[in-house]
Amino acid sequence: MKTKLYISSAILFLASLAILLPSSLAAQSTGRVEFTAQVASTGGQPEPVRQLPFYLLRKSLEDIHADALQSSPAPELNTFIDALDVSPELKAWMKKHHSVQLSGEEFTKGLTVDEIMGVPEFYKAYMEHNAAYRGAGFPEPKFKEKDRTANPEKYAAQKKQYEDGIRKFIAGSPESVKGLDLELFALNPSAKWAVLEKKHDQMVDASTLRLAQERYVVARTETDLEGHGSFAGLAPGNYWIAMFGTEAISGDVRQHWDLRVSVRQGETASVELSNFNAVRSSTTAQNSNN
């Protein structure tokens, strides 16, 4: 009777081991991530990132964004320029400088005499802007329209003399170029291009978040009042701690993370998130200008 009891007890013990061992082994084969998130305003002390969602991804947001960008290529600047109703010379200038910005001090300071004289829109803007200089050292035209057909050689010679005089005036009075961009206000296509770029960026950002949520999210957590968060039961491998759809804010600073972390079997990876390893650290003043 005792022999049967011992055998039954042994069977029950082995059975319990069979149940417990797999779960124990599974726990030992997974890892964990513990993190603390802090953000500091400009010149301020770090503060905990409280009660904000963080995600653990199997791929970095940067790479996911690159995938989304392949599906929705950025608008081509040259294609945009080709569709503008401006002179061929201005289109060539835009393509050469890779810019459609026709305003601002940087723009006017960068204009050369040849560009002002060679691009019809720039020449017209310069002449209109400097109309007040007429009679005060600004060249006066001597060619007459009637000579265009009646005496074309005289007309061409006097026109060239006039244009050479304007070139000399621009070179000797660079301050006369300042403010030229005011005459190009209605022509400036930079705002239209900026809207086009912004719409594309918003579309790619939305596609990035959708791809991340649908394909790459492993886990989600929310930080506590001390800025702590964790992800448990993770298979060994590389992951990325990320924020999307929100930002950590402290004073004038806004930022988020996309930080790689390696998880090893049966170990806990500890990570400190701060301004120094954020994807970007920008001020609200900068954001308001974008």
Side-chain angles (χ1 to χ4, degrees):
M1 186 70 178
K2 289 183 178 180
T3 302
K4 289 183 178 180
L5 182 60
Y6 291 149
I7 293 174
S8 298
S9 298
I11 291 172
L12 288 173
F13 176 73
L14 291 173
S16 65
L17 283 178
I19 295 172
L20 294 174
L21 280 175
S23 60
S24 176
L25 288 173
Q28 291 179 6
S29 66
T30 61
R32 183 181 182 89
V33 172
E34 296 279 351
F35 69 90
T36 301
Q38 293 184 323
V39 58
S41 61
T42 302
Q45 294 297 316
E47 301 176 2
V49 178
R50 300 180 177 93
Q51 297 179 316
L52 284 182
F54 282 77
Y55 297 85
L56 196 68
L57 307 177
R58 289 187 290 105
K59 191 173 186 176
S60 72
L61 270 179
E62 182 181 2
D63 289 341
I64 298 171
H65 182 272
D67 291 343
L69 191 58
Q70 282 190 337
S71 301
S72 303
E76 286 283 344
L77 181 61
N78 284 355
T79 301
F80 175 81
I81 292 172
D82 286 336
L84 295 175
D85 186 19
V86 297
S87 69
E89 292 85 355
L90 181 52
K91 290 181 179 180
W93 180 91
M94 290 176 174
K95 291 179 180 180
K96 176 184 176 181
H97 292 273
H98 306 288
S99 174
V100 293
Q101 180 58 265
L102 303 182
S103 66
E105 186 176 354
E106 184 178 349
F107 162 70
T108 54
K109 279 188 173 181
L111 288 175
T112 66
V113 175
D114 286 341
E115 288 172 339
I116 294 173
M117 298 298 297
V119 176
E121 289 87 349
F122 294 166
Y123 180 74
K124 180 182 178 183
Y126 179 81
M127 296 300 288
E128 290 177 350
H129 188 66
N130 287 279
Y133 281 94
R134 306 291 167 82
F138 198 85
E140 292 290 337
K142 295 181 179 180
F143 60 91
K144 295 179 173 54
E145 191 61 30
K146 65 179 182 179
D147 289 333
R148 183 192 290 267
T149 54
N151 194 343
E153 291 184 2
K154 178 182 177 182
Y155 177 86
Q158 290 182 334
K159 185 176 181 182
K160 183 179 184 306
Q161 183 182 19
Y162 175 62
E163 291 174 348
D164 289 344
I166 294 175
R167 284 179 178 274
K168 186 176 179 180
F169 185 86
I170 296 173
S173 306
E175 69 279 1
S176 65
V177 180
K178 187 177 181 180
L180 172 151
D181 54 329
L182 298 176
E183 311 298 333
L184 297 169
F185 179 79
L187 188 68
N188 191 355
S190 60
K192 185 177 179 182
W193 173 248
V195 169
L196 193 63
E197 285 190 308
K198 185 174 182 179
K199 285 183 178 179
H200 175 262
D201 289 344
Q202 290 173 339
M203 181 177 64
V204 173
D205 286 346
S207 180
T208 298
L209 298 188
R210 185 175 63 254
L211 285 172
Q213 290 173 328
E214 292 177 354
R215 301 183 186 179
Y216 301 108
V217 171
V218 175
R220 178 189 183 280
T221 191
E222 190 170 290
T223 51
D224 61 19
L225 295 178
E226 300 300 321
H228 298 147
S230 64
F231 303 102
L234 304 174
N238 293 321
Y239 299 89
W240 283 261
I241 302 175
M243 294 179 77
F244 50 80
T246 187
E247 291 180 311
I249 302 174
S250 177
D252 61 337
V253 170
R254 311 165 66 93
Q255 61 189 19
H256 70 267
W257 290 270
D258 184 25
L259 188 68
R260 177 178 171 177
V261 57
S262 295
V263 175
R264 295 181 179 178
Q265 181 176 325
E267 295 183 5
T268 297
S270 298
V271 180
E272 292 185 4
L273 304 178
S274 67
N275 290 37
F276 300 105
N277 54 18
V279 171
R280 71 172 185 269
S281 182
S282 58
T283 65
T284 52
Q286 290 172 331
N287 279 295
S288 65
N289 292 329
N290 292 336

